[in-house]
Amino acid sequence: KMVVLNRIYTRTGDDGTTALGSGERRPKYDLRISAYGTVDETNAAIGVVRLHLSDARGLDAMLGLIQNDLFDLGADLAVPEREGKAERLRVLSTQVERLERDIDTLNAALAPLTSFILPGGSPAAAYLHVARTICRRAERVMVELAAQPNERISSAAIQYVNRLSDFLFVAGRSVNDKFLVREPSSEG
């Protein structure tokens, strides 16, 4: 079902709370809100990456699918799992498997790592590393949320965000390799 937003501001959050997809209101500092907010940050950073990929259409297409997946992940997090209730949009293991295939595809063309690399190289690669670090933060918040009593997050959601950070790392290496940009290494 397509979301239609005719009004952008509602004033309902002026009291420092926001509504989950279930209608429940929570403080804006709640871990669940932080989790899907950080997923949204990851998505925005990927949008910046895509500005620099006009010559890498295959990777751009992969990132477009990932951005849609991140909307799914945000929706998954915004509607807590509840016993006996119909399930809404959830991240699926097939999305994790697609990420793994894409990682393998990108990684197959790369030389093995012989040292740690510093984030950077081309603008696209640098932004991919920024997206990766935001994604890792989203993962930490999601894992912390999942450890809370009465909070549930699907294992596929946590696997997806974990795999996504791996994808973003390999994608950064791939972009630098494609454009023959030397990756900065920690060895100098």
Side-chain angles (χ1 to χ4, degrees):
K1 180 177 168 185
M2 181 60 76
V3 174
V4 177
L5 298 173
N6 292 325
R7 282 187 61 198
I8 301 304
Y9 64 92
T10 63
R11 297 187 178 113
T12 58
D14 291 352
D15 66 354
T17 66
T18 194
L20 298 177
S22 62
E24 175 189 354
R25 296 204 65 82
R26 295 211 184 166
K28 290 188 179 187
Y29 57 80
D30 185 89
L31 278 175
R32 186 167 292 276
I33 309 307
S34 185
Y36 69 73
T38 310
V39 167
D40 189 36
E41 287 180 58
T42 305
N43 204 340
I46 290 171
V48 175
V49 170
R50 294 184 70 198
L51 294 173
H52 300 277
L53 292 179
S54 60
D55 293 332
R57 293 192 195 283
L59 179 57
D60 185 59
M62 289 176 186
L63 289 170
L65 288 173
I66 287 167
Q67 286 190 292
N68 282 301
D69 288 348
L70 290 174
F71 277 123
D72 294 353
L73 179 57
D76 190 327
L77 292 166
V79 182
E81 293 181 9
R82 296 178 294 174
E83 301 256 349
K85 297 289 182 179
E87 286 299 311
R88 289 196 151 165
L89 189 58
R90 299 285 176 218
V91 171
L92 305 172
S93 60
T94 54
Q95 291 165 295
V96 176
E97 292 162 6
R98 190 193 72 240
L99 269 181
E100 290 173 349
R101 285 190 304 274
D102 289 346
I103 291 167
D104 293 342
T105 297
L106 293 175
N107 203 43
L110 298 173
L113 281 174
T114 57
S115 68
F116 288 104
I117 61 169
L118 300 174
S122 68
Y127 286 120
L128 281 159
H129 285 291
V130 170
R132 175 184 55 78
T133 62
I134 297 168
C135 184
R136 284 286 187 209
R137 180 163 32 99
E139 179 183 18
R140 290 189 301 271
V141 174
M142 288 171 60
V143 168
E144 183 179 2
L145 175 63
Q148 302 303 306
N150 303 317
E151 292 288 2
R152 294 170 55 180
I153 298 180
S154 73
S155 59
I158 292 173
Q159 290 168 2
Y160 184 88
V161 76
N162 181 274
R163 217 67 84 247
L164 178 57
S165 60
D166 296 335
F167 173 89
L168 295 167
F169 176 79
V170 172
R173 292 195 66 221
S174 178
V175 166
N176 280 341
D177 186 65
K178 178 177 174 58
F179 297 108
L180 303 174
V181 175
R182 184 176 175 270
E183 290 178 318
S185 80
S186 61
E187 294 177 349

